[in-house]
Amino acid sequence: MNWLVVVAGGMIGAPLRYLTDRAVQSRHDSLFPWGTFVVNVTGCLILGTLAGATAVGSDLRLFLGTGLCGALTTYSTFSYETLRLTETGAGLYAAVNAVASVVLGLGAASAGLAIGAWAWS
């Protein structure tokens, strides 16, 4: 039965990723992959919050953590877009994307951990 909970979360996370990516990217006239950057950092915040919330049950963890965040965030697109930036001569954008994604992703996860521990524990 757990797999159904994961599927349900994924059914929300995947279209949410696509729609958010398109909405964010359409507002920026830049080579930088803002849409992917936003969904990945947001996913880190959500997953960090979930990790800090010790009172959250296993079904909600599967739904939000594995399902929603698993489908919302995208390491493969991040990697592809970073490589494409390098190939097109936008090496600075590629470096900024790689460093900022890791630093802000870890920062968002850490902030989420603190928020989760404060709000739900």
Side-chain angles (χ1 to χ4, degrees), residues 1 4 12 16-17 19 25 29 31 34 53 64 66 98 104 110 114:
M1 196 61 155
L4 288 174
I12 294 169
L16 184 61
R17 179 184 92 72
L19 294 171
Q25 200 61 39
D29 187 25
L31 293 175
W34 286 108
L64 292 175
T66 307
L104 291 180
S110 296

Side-chain angles (χ1 to χ4, degrees), residues 48-111:
T49 302
L50 190 60
T54 57
V56 173
S58 64
D59 284 346
L60 189 57
R61 287 184 186 280
L62 286 172
F63 177 78
L64 292 175
T66 307
L68 186 117
C69 286
L72 176 68
T73 60
T74 173
Y75 190 76
S76 57
T77 302
F78 155 74
S79 300
Y80 171 76
E81 290 173 344
T82 302
L83 287 174
R84 290 293 300 150
L85 288 170
T86 302
E87 291 172 351
T88 60
L92 181 59
Y93 279 125
V96 168
N97 187 40
V99 171
S101 290
V102 171
V103 170
L104 291 180
L106 288 171
S110 296

Side-chain angles (χ1 to χ4, degrees), residues 28-53:
H28 296 279
D29 187 25
S30 169
L31 293 175
F32 192 83
W34 286 108
T36 302
F37 181 78
V38 167
V39 296
N40 284 343
V41 173
T42 301
C44 289
L45 178 65
I46 293 168
L47 197 53
T49 302
L50 190 60

